[in-house]
Amino acid sequence: GGGGGGGGGEGLVERTLRNSFLVSADMAHALHPNYMDKHEPNHAPRMHQGVVVKHNANQRYATTALTATLFRECAAMEGIPTQEFVVRNDMGCGSTIGPILSTNMGVRTVDVGVPQLSMHSVREMCGTEDIDICFRHFTAFFDHFATIDAQMDDVDAMCVGNTMP
């Protein structure tokens, strides 16, 4: 794929997808004061404390260690807080479009969201500060993605050919 006389030549689509990054932005379940036992103690998103990077071992979210690090580092460069959410292994979990697009397109993907209470109810609510934090985080992502991505490629290049002791 990718020929077609546009000057990019063979493999253009594949190279473009390889260099792309998808931020699958949805919402995240905030720690609910009446259901605190539904969250892992160290993975309980709170309102007003940053965008949540969502992880799931059963691949209900598309986040990987690499994509989470890249997304977090972009925010860290601007001093913007992030949070982590890992679904308890004994709890059910919804999903996002992230795993579908990541699988079908082969694009590196991170699933993130602003924490909210009462998801899917008529009384959904999120923190007002989280809207600004999310805007600043996404701006930092666009501003710093290329730099962080290149640094990660440099680390990969250093590791190629090295053997573990």
Side-chain angles (χ1 to χ4, degrees):
E10 189 173 335
L12 176 62
V13 171
E14 292 79 7
R15 287 192 309 275
T16 301
L17 289 172
R18 166 58 188 101
N19 291 322
S20 297
F21 192 98
L22 172 66
V23 177
S24 174
D26 197 351
M27 300 299 283
H29 290 280
L31 177 66
H32 194 293
N34 293 336
Y35 303 100
M36 294 174 73
D37 61 324
K38 300 289 184 186
H39 289 293
E40 291 284 354
N42 294 324
H43 300 281
R46 299 177 187 277
M47 292 193 294
H48 307 289
Q49 294 186 20
V51 173
V52 178
V53 178
K54 303 187 296 186
H55 305 265
N56 183 288
N58 294 322
Q59 298 179 335
R60 303 291 291 170
Y61 302 132
T63 304
T64 66
L66 179 79
T67 61
T69 300
L70 202 153
F71 190 75
R72 270 193 315 267
E73 288 301 310
C74 289
M77 290 183 78
E78 297 289 335
I80 299 167
T82 56
Q83 303 182 72
E84 302 291 323
F85 173 67
V86 177
V87 177
R88 282 183 26 189
N89 62 4
D90 64 338
M91 299 291 297
C93 174
S95 189
T96 69
I97 198 166
I100 296 166
L101 292 176
S102 177
T103 300
N104 289 339
M105 296 174 23
V107 174
R108 297 172 292 169
T109 304
V110 65
D111 268 299
V112 302
V114 170
Q116 74 174 79
L117 290 175
S118 306
M119 190 181 291
H120 306 299
S121 82
V122 297
R123 293 187 176 91
E124 288 181 344
M125 65 181 83
C126 66
T128 54
E129 292 176 40
D130 286 322
I131 304 306
D132 181 61
I133 293 170
C134 185
F135 172 78
R136 291 187 297 120
H137 192 142
F138 288 175
T139 301
F141 177 80
F142 284 110
D143 290 345
H144 300 295
F145 170 78
T147 301
I148 303 264
D149 193 35
Q151 290 171 353
M152 294 179 105
D153 282 345
D154 289 346
V155 169
D156 286 344
M158 287 188 305
C159 294
V160 172
N162 292 341
T163 57
M164 298 298 288

